[in-house]
Amino acid sequence: MHKVNTRNNKDELIKENSFLRQRVAELEETEDRYRTLIELGNKIGEAVLMLQDIDGKEGIHIYVSDQWPKITGYSREELLSMSFFDLVSSRDKKISMQRHRKKMSGKTIPDLFELTIIRKDGKEAPIEITSAATNYEGKPTNVVYIRDIGERKKAEEEIKQLSRRLQVTLENAPIAIYEKDFTIAKKLFDELRRQGVRDFRKYFYNNPDKLKYCYMKTENSDWSPARKNIFDGYVEEDTKLYYKNPPKESPSYKSQVDTLSRLAEGERYFSKEEPIITVKGNKKYLNIHIFVDEEFKDTLSRVLIYIYDVTDLRSKTEELEKYQHHLEDLVNKRTNELRVQTEQRIEFIRLLVHELKTPLTPLLGASELLSGNLLEEPMATTSKIIHSGALKLEKRIDELLDQARLETGSLDLKRDYINIYDSFNNIVEYVKPRLKIKKQDIVLEISESLPLIWADEERLNQIILNLIDNSFKFTPSNGRIILRTYSDGPYLIVEVKDNGCGIDESKQANLFKPYFQSNTVGENMSGLGLGLFLCKSLVELHGGNINVKSQMGTGSTFAFTIPLTSPQRR
């Protein structure tokens, strides 16, 4: 019998077990590494597949990560029984199979490839793939990494559409849009500032060589097609020539100085209008907007310029200005004619007033004397009629004179501090005798505690007497007139109320216009129609307002306001 060397066998078994444990550890490490890569792929939206050719059918799924069912809509079980090419769209199937065959045969092909698959719901899904050939379980295997690029494709399409819209907009916009790179000019600005230059406008105006240097070193880009129409077909060479040697006093030179100096002084947005002479000799007016991109403000490498051709607008504006001047001349001419006519009319009224006042003065005196001394009838009544007519005539003459003064602005108020209580009591006592003729009654409603007002007492009395006279005319016998006065905040309110026939609503808007007469209930009222017009004018001269409230058959209320004096004046 042979003696077995158990010690050597034991050593070999220990070595083999150690080797196997090492291999198992390596396999576990490799498995962990691939598991980590697959999990990371799932997190970033990438799917990992393993494809093999089995029983003559190419690209059978033998492994799919969790992301692939999410992309395709199929379950893992369904995918493991399908070929990858069952999912590829018909237009991409041929080229994708060619790539698979080359990869499986060990040939090198471009890594990234885009194709479209058909999801389970029938919708297309664009994907991006890369693959690597390996062996699995002793068989050639194509390991494929897939990224769903649907959102990216959607974003690219949106960008494409936006780019097209912008391109169409630029191609059809009547605005020239372009960029200028003032990087070299910015370096010069900084150097000049270090040298102590502060007035850049003066510097560039007096140094045309530096101005020329800045513009000749400036790069233009992104011109829009409208620029050809605006500049009469300028090309880049024409533009350089345009900036090369402009006359020092030309608008072009001054515009270049203005632009450079404002950029040097740190302006980020400015606009201006300037005239130019194009290469064809046409004069045009341009509205120019210059904007420095905020991200490039330190280098001035991106300065956007927008140019509008406002030649037609300027031409129309000039035509309108000429027409406006023509209209102004016509208005001034007509105004002068009206002023002369007004002055002539006012002068006529003054002469008329003078001519009427001259014989009226002795007539008033004589009629007053007769009415006071003739006691026997019918002479007593006759003399009173004569005196009353003379008083009415004097009032009409005074109204004409006041109107003339209002038109010329020469009617001045003689203000003073007025005690309203005493003043209004005097007015009531003055009108009572006349109201007795129609058996009318007048009531004064006033507080003794009203403050003083700063007003023209004579004109204030004139306003109230005119309103009372108006109520007297339109209030029947045995009627009643109320003169009410009270304060409301900073104003004194004065009301004259009657229970007469009232005023038709259609006539109320014209009551305060000159020469308007509201003949109510068939009465033939005398007068020139200036009473209420003068009331309104005198109230407004005091800084107040006047209005009327009236209904047919219920009477009327005329009310006006006068500002009260300040506490200091009081």
Side-chain angles (χ1 to χ4, degrees):
M1 294 180 64
H2 295 285
K3 187 177 181 180
V4 178
N5 190 342
T6 58
R7 182 176 180 85
N8 289 338
N9 290 338
K10 184 178 180 180
D11 290 341
E12 289 177 2
L13 287 172
I14 290 172
K15 288 180 181 180
E16 186 176 351
N17 288 335
S18 177
F19 174 76
L20 290 174
R21 282 197 298 271
Q22 184 179 352
R23 293 294 296 165
V24 168
E26 290 176 356
L27 287 172
E28 289 177 348
E29 183 180 354
T30 302
E31 184 179 355
D32 289 340
R33 185 182 301 117
Y34 279 110
R35 185 182 296 109
T36 301
L37 290 173
I38 291 172
E39 289 176 354
L40 179 61
N42 288 330
K43 289 181 180 178
I44 63 176
E46 287 189 350
V48 181
L49 316 179
M50 295 177 68
L51 308 178
Q52 285 184 347
D53 298 339
I54 300 174
D55 298 334
K57 192 169 183 181
E58 297 177 297
I60 299 298
H61 295 92
I62 62 170
Y63 171 79
V64 295
S65 68
D66 295 340
Q67 192 64 23
W68 190 229
K70 294 179 182 179
I71 294 174
T72 63
Y74 289 96
S75 67
R76 184 186 301 273
E77 290 72 18
E78 289 174 320
L79 289 169
L80 291 175
S81 64
M82 296 171 63
S83 165
F84 172 78
F85 303 106
D86 292 338
L87 302 173
V88 178
S89 67
S90 58
R91 61 179 178 273
D92 294 331
K93 185 172 293 188
K94 181 178 180 180
I95 188 170
S96 62
M97 292 186 72
Q98 290 174 352
R99 285 175 57 86
H100 172 74
R101 290 165 184 167
K102 289 180 180 180
K103 181 68 69 172
M104 295 292 281
S105 65
K107 294 182 180 180
T108 302
I109 59 174
D111 286 338
L112 291 177
F113 177 63
E114 292 183 8
L115 56 86
T116 302
I117 64 169
I118 307 299
R119 289 168 43 88
K120 185 176 182 179
D121 58 11
K123 295 181 179 179
E124 291 188 349
I127 60 173
E128 181 181 74
I129 69 173
T130 184
S131 60
T134 186
N135 283 302
Y136 179 72
E137 295 182 350
K139 296 181 180 180
T141 304
N142 191 4
V143 180
V144 183
Y145 298 88
I146 298 176
R147 181 187 295 272
D148 184 355
I149 57 173
E151 291 299 323
R152 191 184 79 188
K153 284 292 184 181
K154 182 180 179 181
E156 288 175 353
E157 183 62 26
E158 290 177 354
I159 292 173
K160 182 179 178 181
Q161 293 296 328
L162 177 60
S163 177
R164 175 168 175 74
R165 286 198 297 269
L166 289 175
Q167 182 180 357
V168 171
T169 301
L170 283 176
E171 288 175 352
N172 295 278
I175 306 170
I177 305 174
Y178 62 98
E179 295 181 13
K180 276 185 174 292
D181 184 348
F182 282 96
T183 302
I184 295 178
K186 178 63 166 62
K187 293 178 180 178
L188 178 61
F189 300 159
D190 296 339
E191 178 62 28
L192 292 174
R193 194 173 283 106
R194 284 192 292 269
Q195 294 175 10
V197 174
R198 294 293 178 266
D199 190 341
F200 287 94
R201 190 176 298 273
K202 181 179 180 181
Y203 176 85
F204 283 116
Y205 186 81
N206 293 327
N207 292 274
D209 56 326
K210 297 295 184 182
L211 183 73
K212 174 183 173 183
Y213 169 78
C214 287
Y215 275 96
M216 295 302 291
K217 295 295 183 178
T218 300
E219 296 296 329
N220 295 332
S221 61
D222 295 338
W223 285 77
S224 58
R227 154 255 198 188
K228 291 184 179 180
N229 295 328
I230 293 176
F231 288 92
D232 283 347
Y234 270 1
V235 293
E236 188 65 22
E237 292 72 18
D238 296 328
T239 306
K240 292 290 186 182
L241 181 64
Y242 176 75
Y243 287 116
K244 191 173 182 181
N245 289 307
K248 199 169 182 179
E249 295 302 322
S250 68
S252 173
Y253 187 87
K254 293 178 180 178
S255 176
Q256 294 171 37
V257 169
D258 178 71
T259 299
L260 279 186
S261 61
R262 294 171 82 167
L263 289 173
E265 291 165 0
E267 289 194 45
R268 297 291 173 255
Y269 172 80
F270 52 92
S271 60
K272 56 187 176 177
E273 184 177 304
E274 68 174 52
I276 65 163
I277 303 297
T278 68
V279 290
K280 293 183 179 180
N282 297 323
K283 184 176 181 180
K284 291 189 174 184
Y285 291 92
L286 306 181
N287 192 306
I288 304 174
H289 297 256
I290 299 175
F291 170 74
V292 179
D293 191 325
E294 188 67 21
E295 293 185 10
F296 301 90
K297 64 182 180 181
D298 295 330
T299 61
L300 298 183
S301 58
R302 189 165 186 261
V303 179
L304 301 173
I305 300 177
Y306 306 86
I307 300 179
Y308 305 77
D309 184 354
V310 293
T311 306
D312 291 341
L313 178 61
R314 183 68 177 266
S315 176
K316 298 299 183 184
T317 302
E318 290 176 352
E319 290 179 7
L320 286 174
E321 289 175 351
K322 289 180 181 178
Y323 187 66
Q324 182 181 357
H325 292 322
H326 174 65
L327 289 178
E328 288 175 353
D329 291 339
L330 291 177
V331 169
N332 290 334
K333 181 180 178 181
R334 182 57 181 159
T335 300
N336 289 331
E337 291 175 354
L338 291 173
R339 180 177 54 80
V340 171
Q341 293 175 7
T342 300
E343 290 176 352
Q344 291 175 345
R345 183 169 61 82
I346 291 172
E347 184 61 26
F348 171 76
I349 291 174
R350 286 174 179 168
L351 292 173
L352 178 63
V353 169
H354 176 73
E355 292 298 321
L356 292 174
K357 281 276 190 177
T358 300
L360 181 60
T361 302
L363 178 61
L364 282 169
S367 62
E368 184 178 7
L369 179 63
L370 287 174
S371 62
N373 290 286
L374 292 175
L375 302 176
E376 296 181 1
E377 295 294 345
M379 298 304 295
T381 300
T382 302
S383 63
K384 289 179 181 179
I385 292 173
I386 293 172
H387 184 62
S388 175
L391 289 172
K392 288 181 180 180
L393 180 59
E394 183 184 38
K395 182 179 180 181
R396 302 294 174 260
I397 294 171
D398 289 339
E399 287 177 348
L400 280 174
L401 186 59
D402 283 344
Q403 186 202 14
R405 288 171 177 166
L406 283 169
E407 290 186 19
T408 58
S410 61
L411 196 156
D412 297 323
L413 299 179
K414 298 177 181 179
R415 297 176 185 263
D416 201 349
Y417 299 109
I418 302 174
N419 185 315
I420 296 298
Y421 183 80
D422 293 340
S423 181
F424 281 25
N425 270 294
N426 292 336
I427 292 174
V428 170
E429 293 301 321
Y430 176 78
V431 299
K432 275 184 177 180
R434 186 184 179 195
L435 297 179
K436 286 181 179 180
I437 298 174
K438 291 176 68 173
K439 297 181 181 180
Q440 294 175 346
D441 186 24
I442 184 167
V443 177
L444 176 61
E445 296 180 0
I446 185 171
S447 170
E448 294 186 30
S449 61
L450 286 175
L452 300 178
I453 65 169
W454 181 250
D456 185 327
E457 185 171 14
E458 181 180 347
R459 294 300 182 181
L460 187 59
N461 290 345
Q462 181 181 348
I463 297 168
I464 297 171
L465 287 171
N466 264 329
L467 295 179
I468 292 175
D469 183 64
N470 199 63
S471 294
F472 170 76
K473 293 177 182 178
F474 295 101
T475 301
S477 298
N478 300 313
R480 191 184 194 199
I481 299 172
I482 299 174
L483 175 58
R484 181 183 295 118
T485 307
Y486 57 95
S487 61
D488 184 9
Y491 292 97
L492 179 77
I493 313 296
V494 180
E495 295 179 354
V496 177
K497 182 179 181 180
D498 62 60
N499 56 355
C501 58
I503 304 169
D504 188 271
E505 187 177 355
S506 62
K507 297 180 179 180
Q508 291 179 22
N510 298 315
L511 281 178
F512 298 102
K513 294 180 180 180
Y515 308 113
F516 179 80
Q517 291 183 325
S518 175
N519 295 336
T520 307
V521 296
E523 294 191 28
N524 183 20
M525 297 297 173
S526 61
L528 299 173
L530 292 174
L532 291 177
F533 165 72
L534 290 174
C535 286
K536 179 177 182 293
S537 301
L538 292 173
V539 167
E540 290 176 350
L541 280 176
H542 278 86
N545 292 293
I546 189 169
N547 62 77
V548 61
K549 294 180 181 178
S550 182
Q551 287 185 344
M552 294 299 294
T554 62
S556 305
T557 300
F558 286 84
F560 67 89
T561 62
I562 297 290
L564 293 171
T565 58
S566 65
Q568 292 85 349
R569 286 179 173 174
R570 195 177 315 136

